[in-house]
Amino acid sequence: MTMTFTDIYMPPRLLAPGGTPAGYATHQQRYGPVSYGNPAHLLRTLAESGLTGRGGAAFPTYRKLGAVAEAGRRTGRAPVVVGNGAEGEPASHKDRTLLRLSPHLVLDGLQLAAEAVGAGEAYLAVEDGATPLETALTERRDPLPVRIVRVPKRFLSGQSSALAQYISGQAALPRDQHPPVREQGVRRAPTLVQNVETLAHLALIARYGADWFRSQGTPAEPGSALCTVYAPGREVRVVEAPFGMPLHRLLPLDGVGAVLTGGYHGTWLTAAEAATRTLTAADLGAGVLIALPADRCGLADTADVLRYLALESAGQCGPCLNGLPRIAAAFRTLAAPGPQGTSRRDVARWAGLVEGRGACHHPDGTVRLVRSAFTTFAAELDAHAAGHCTAADRRPLLPVPENRS
Ligand SMILES: Cc1cc2nc3c(=O)[nH]c(=O)nc-3n(C[C@H](O)[C@H](O)[C@H](O)COP(=O)(O)O)c2cc1C
Ligand code: SF4
């Protein structure tokens, strides 16, 4: 898929200008030196900056670093740091774009985070087949060697406990969240898993400070974020935008029926709702914004995504084993015009049963998508029940990879 970088909403912070990958010399020239040696100062600056994670949950970064450092002191085990570039979300391209264009910003952030938590090992997890990063590593003289780990290209591979399992030599599947990865992750050591975009922001905050970071965004949600943007009739773009920017500036809404924010664990909005919204961390989720043209069927697209999510779960827990396949199958019935039996009620009931009951948040994210589809496509649901579909174009729009068992 081709990317263009013509949409500039702010002075670029993370992506090398012109779409040209930055080697180490260019990187140093552009951003200047990083100063190591004062982890306590870095933690304070991160707290003041208000940086939150860009992997989907928007958790305050300084709190996670503080908790991992504390777990290391308490247990006497040197923590492990993992840069998360797995990008399991099929519609997202932001992390691989960042790693391709600005690998050294991510690697600076990884070293700084490692120093801040007192880590003894560092890994950078990337999806299998990603741009080689070995050259970038050989250009540097880092205090802590970084090992590149190539994770299977699956939806769950980037979940933090799945990553920790994979690096420990197991399958890349989530495990029970107790104890959490920050206490016991890679080979049971306290482990910091941080999205690669978060690390790149961290590397800039360490250089330029909290006030600089806060000069973009809003007081409540400072800074900027990378978004993968799907607008009708345009190439897929990865852009950097400040929090608080109106969504309609990122995504032209003419001829658009609905917008999916946050990716496949995200939320459908009607175009009218999207027109009133600004970019927030909650809406941004995994950094994906998709405009669905008004002549497409959002129910058909949602059904395809739900089938994909159900098959990706690996069925380790009840909600995924029993709930998600049922929800996906009943939703498929709703996506086709014709008799629907009890499918609508069944989906609503099963959604309530699986929510909050998995070892990880996969069922919760899936339920979020289902519930928002019910609200946003309520008129289409009624039309399908009455035997017709309002969409002129029933081709799928959302990218859904083939599931592999
Ligand atoms: C099902 C599932 C899949 C996830 N996939 C990714 C992913 O591909 N990349 C990522 O950075 N975070 C992913 N996450 C979030 C991670 O578990 C973790 O919270 C994140 O990497 C922490 O980094 P951050 O605080 O910098 O966002 C996923 C979470 C879930 C529940
Ligand atoms: S909730 Fe689903 S995806 Fe998460 S660990 Fe359990 S079976 Fe796997």
Side-chain angles (χ1 to χ4, degrees), residues 13 45-51 205 209-223:
R13 288 180 166 184
T45 310
L46 284 176
E48 286 160 16
S49 74
L51 175 67
I205 292 166
D211 289 345
W212 169 85
F213 185 71
R214 285 181 166 275
S215 66
Q216 292 287 348
T218 68
E221 292 195 320

Side-chain angles (χ1 to χ4, degrees), residues 346-362:
D346 291 343
V347 169
R349 185 163 53 84
W350 290 327
L353 289 175
V354 302
E355 197 176 24
R357 301 241 163 77
C360 80
H361 292 302
H362 185 49

Side-chain angles (χ1 to χ4, degrees), residues 156 174 313 315-317 320 358-360 362-363:
L156 295 173
S313 78
Q316 300 182 110
C317 316
C320 283
C360 80
H362 185 49

Side-chain angles (χ1 to χ4, degrees), residues 18 21 24 33 35 39-40 44 51 54 102 171 214 233 256 288 334 375 380:
Y24 197 45
S35 69
R44 265 197 314 278
L51 175 67
R54 302 294 196 255
S102 308
R214 285 181 166 275
V256 168
V288 176
L334 299 177
T375 316
E380 285 86 344

Side-chain angles (χ1 to χ4, degrees), residues 53-55 64 84 87-88 155-156 158-160 193-195 198:
R54 302 294 196 255
K64 194 154 48 164
N84 190 351
E87 200 160 44
F155 190 81
L156 295 173
Q159 195 272 348
S160 55
V193 177
Q194 211 77 69
N195 173 261
T198 317

Side-chain angles (χ1 to χ4, degrees), residues 158-236:
Q159 195 272 348
S160 55
S161 67
L163 265 189
Q165 293 282 93
Y166 192 68
I167 295 169
S168 308
Q170 325 272 321
L173 291 173
R175 63 146 169 80
D176 193 70
Q177 304 295 291
H178 303 287
V181 168
R182 63 178 182 277
E183 299 276 334
Q184 279 186 28
V186 175
R187 290 181 289 280
R188 302 180 146 255
T191 298
L192 177 77
V193 177
Q194 211 77 69
N195 173 261
V196 286
E197 184 192 338
T198 317
L199 292 171
H201 286 291
L202 187 156
L204 293 179
I205 292 166
R207 284 175 165 94
Y208 310 138
D211 289 345
W212 169 85
F213 185 71
R214 285 181 166 275
S215 66
Q216 292 287 348
T218 68
E221 292 195 320
S224 57
L226 297 178
C227 319
T228 312
V229 178
Y230 293 66
R234 300 189 61 174
E235 286 176 333
V236 179

Side-chain angles (χ1 to χ4, degrees), residues 308-326:
Y308 165 75
L309 293 176
L311 286 169
E312 284 293 290
S313 78
Q316 300 182 110
C317 316
C320 283
L321 188 63
N322 303 312
L324 298 195
R326 285 187 182 154

